[in-house]
Amino acid sequence: MSQITTHILDTTLGKPAAGVTIALAAHTESGDWQELARGITDADGRLKDLLPPDTLVRVGVYRLTFFTKEYAERMGTRTFYPLVEICFEVTSSEHYHVPLLLNPFGYATYRGS
């Protein structure tokens, strides 16, 4: 399993959001973002293999970008948020799980386990 994982729950439907593209980027010393990986959520709305197994990222600030407009269009709904960006800080080599609870006009996130 990847050091950084995520999942998406569509809270309007009460079901996982499958087929959502997610990109992981690192904040660089120059203030830019460098994309490290990209993946797509599985049928259970999870992305467990964003990074190769046993790959550890450095301590620093990271961003997950969820391309939610593609998902909404596929579901035949409109969304106020064409994408959702979640920034978080990695402080050790432990596992980081960053879930997204999503609906067309709101979202929430938390540090998962």
Side-chain angles (χ1 to χ4, degrees):
M1 176 175 17
S2 173
Q3 180 189 11
I4 298 172
T5 59
T6 187
H7 77 268
I8 308 172
L9 178 65
D10 182 330
T11 58
T12 299
L13 300 175
K15 295 182 179 181
V20 178
T21 301
I22 301 170
L24 173 66
H27 195 251
T28 67
E29 290 181 17
S30 65
D32 296 322
W33 291 97
Q34 177 185 8
E35 186 171 312
L36 303 177
R38 188 175 281 246
I40 298 174
T41 57
D42 63 16
D44 198 30
R46 296 185 178 277
L47 185 52
K48 301 175 190 174
D49 60 354
L50 186 56
L51 296 168
D54 301 321
T55 299
L56 297 177
V57 297
R58 292 197 242 183
V59 168
V61 176
Y62 292 84
R63 177 182 70 197
L64 286 171
T65 302
F66 299 79
F67 295 89
T68 54
K69 184 174 182 176
E70 299 167 358
Y71 171 74
E73 288 174 347
R74 208 171 43 255
M75 299 304 291
T77 62
R78 295 179 58 204
T79 182
F80 185 67
Y81 301 101
L83 56 88
V84 173
E85 295 181 324
I86 301 172
C87 295
F88 59 98
E89 189 168 13
V90 170
T91 58
S92 72
S93 62
E94 66 187 320
H95 175 244
Y96 289 82
H97 185 66
V98 186
L100 176 65
L101 306 176
L102 178 67
N103 68 65
F105 297 99
Y107 63 88
T109 186
Y110 57 94
R111 168 85 192 259
S113 58

